[in-house]
Amino acid sequence: MLSKKIEKALNDQVRVEAESSQIYLAMACWAEVKGLEGVARFMFDQSDEEREHMLKLIKFINERGGHAQISALKAPNVTFNSFQEMFQMLHDHEVLVSESINELVHQSLQEKDYATHNFLQWYVAEQIEEEAMAKSILDKINLIGDDKGGLYLFDRDIQQLTVTSSASSSAV
Ligand code: FEO
């Protein structure tokens, strides 16, 4: 059974994951209209993954005697000055999500809620992967800068990354 405090904290995380999904969906749309199909596909996939993160939390809350709350979301940024800026935002957002997960882990220990603590370990591992991926993409795009040819190749490469990461996450 979840304490009210943990239930509230988990519901806050439901909102964070839902907002993440919307943020990446908006990035996907921007990339798509800019003609970068690979980047768009990557962002659509990221958005789907965030929705899965949200659903996993919702199921857990309801199964543990709580009530998952579906709440209003903050509107995401829909335009960007550059792909560099967009990937910087993705990276910074993942760092924020990690901080939020860490805070939840901390609270679960304070409340001696070991079931929730155990459940959250999946998110801890997932955030390590997501931050690492966001960082490596950001490093690449920063190297490319404004070079159009580089961006074209990057768009092709990122499709490969999407295939690889969905293959590894479906293996989990
Ligand atoms: Fe669900 Fe990208 O964190």
Side-chain angles (χ1 to χ4, degrees):
M1 188 77 185
L2 295 173
S3 71
K4 281 291 153 202
K5 195 173 162 190
I6 293 295
E7 182 181 354
K8 158 99 180 50
L10 288 168
N11 269 317
D12 286 345
Q13 192 63 31
V14 167
R15 192 178 34 74
V16 168
E17 303 292 349
E19 284 177 350
S20 304
S21 181
Q22 295 297 90
I23 288 169
Y24 300 152
L25 199 54
M27 289 178 175
C29 291
W30 189 75
E32 194 158 55
V33 298
K34 292 279 169 194
L36 288 195
E37 286 302 320
V39 173
R41 218 168 95 190
F42 171 80
M43 289 297 181
F44 278 122
D45 284 356
Q46 285 301 113
S47 176
D48 284 349
E49 272 194 30
E50 298 302 347
R51 182 175 158 80
E52 278 171 28
H53 298 173
M54 176 193 73
L55 285 173
K56 205 174 165 81
L57 279 158
I58 287 174
K59 294 261 157 64
F60 180 77
I61 295 168
N62 291 341
E63 274 167 14
R64 298 285 301 155
H67 183 181
Q69 300 297 309
I70 309 304
S71 56
L73 305 176
K74 230 181 352 193
N77 208 35
V78 293
T79 55
F80 306 89
N81 291 317
S82 63
F83 282 96
Q84 264 171 299
E85 183 188 73
M86 189 180 81
F87 280 103
Q88 181 72 52
M89 285 169 95
L90 174 130
H91 172 266
D92 295 352
H93 183 72
E94 285 305 325
V95 171
L96 276 181
V97 174
S98 295
E99 282 169 11
S100 161
I101 294 288
N102 284 347
E103 182 52 34
L104 250 179
V105 170
H106 176 68
Q107 284 189 24
S108 69
L109 282 181
Q110 272 183 329
E111 292 277 301
K112 297 196 171 69
D113 183 343
Y114 300 113
T116 297
H117 183 266
N118 184 51
F119 166 77
L120 289 172
Q121 296 315 302
W122 183 87
Y123 287 84
V124 172
E126 181 72 8
Q127 280 315 117
I128 293 171
E129 252 186 53
E130 295 218 352
E131 267 194 60
M133 185 172 66
K135 175 80 170 67
S136 80
I137 295 173
L138 186 61
D139 288 345
K140 278 203 186 81
I141 196 118
N142 281 337
L143 268 176
I144 294 163
D146 294 330
D147 181 61
K148 288 262 191 302
L151 202 56
Y152 175 78
L153 291 175
F154 172 80
D155 189 54
R156 279 188 6 197
D157 279 2
I158 202 166
Q159 295 204 23
Q160 196 50 45
L161 200 80
T162 309
V163 174
T164 319
S165 91
S166 53
S168 73
S169 60
S170 60
V172 176

